[in-house]
């Protein structure tokens, strides 16, 4: 991802993710960990992933989304593989993320990629929806 992609990423996040993130969140993530901010590009941004290293040896995927009309074409998998490769190069051995318990699409996606439910985090989201914490070894 480059700085010029940030507005498109924010738009896609607003269309695809239930949780609302402020522009300053995207800017701060890009400034502090640009190597974990990846986009799938054609003429436009079709998907993005943002992952960070939380502790030594541990990665966390914060956001991943693909434009609605381009889903089920392998773009999400490509983004996930790219961020997992980045994590592996950094010596990260376990990757964690949270998904709304109601987000059947994302649960299907992450399960297809070997992620397992570790626990439920009650009222994780700002609207008080619970999250599943998922994880996978690398
Ligand atoms: N239901 C069940 N399984 C699914 C689904 C689904 N809706 N979508 C993908 N999968 C599984 C399938 O096994 C699929 O393979 P197949 O198409 O051959 O059956 C496999 O995952 C790979 O799918 P991709 O085409 O690579 O995934 P896609 O590009 O559609 O992206 C994503 C998946 C990112 C979850 C997309 O549905 C999306 O953008 N959803 C809205 C945003 C969102 O909820 N993001 C996750 C929030 S949690 C977080 O970011 C940490």
């Amino acid at each position: 991802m480059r700085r010029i992609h940030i507005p498109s990423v924010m738009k896609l996040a607003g269309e695809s993710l239930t949780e609302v993130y402020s522009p300053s969140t995207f800017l701060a993530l890009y400034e502090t960990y640009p190597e974990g901010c990846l986009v799938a590009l054609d003429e436009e941004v079709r998907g993005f992933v943002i992952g960070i290293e939380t502790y030594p040896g541990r990665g966390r995927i914060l956001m991943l989304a693909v434009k609605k009309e381009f889903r089920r074409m392998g773009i999400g998998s490509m983004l996930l593989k790219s961020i997992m490769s980045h994590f592996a190069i950094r010596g990260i051995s376990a990757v964690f993320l949270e998904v709304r318990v109601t987000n059947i699409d994302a649960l299907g996606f992450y399960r297809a990629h070997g992620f397992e439910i570790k626990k439920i985090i009650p009222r994780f989201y700002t609207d008080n929806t619970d999250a599943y914490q998922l994880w996978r070894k690398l």
Side-chain angles (χ1 to χ4, degrees), residues 16-35:
S16 305
L17 302 172
T18 311
E19 193 74 353
V20 178
Y21 298 95
S22 68
S24 58
T25 300
F26 290 94
L27 281 171
L29 287 167
Y30 182 75
E31 297 290 346
T32 52
Y33 203 73
E35 61 271 38

Side-chain angles (χ1 to χ4, degrees), residues 6 33 35 38 41 66 73 78 110 112-113 125 127:
I6 293 176
Y33 203 73
E35 61 271 38
L38 309 176
L41 271 179
V66 173
M73 295 178 180
M78 188 184 67
Y110 283 118
H113 287 284
Y125 295 98
D127 65 359

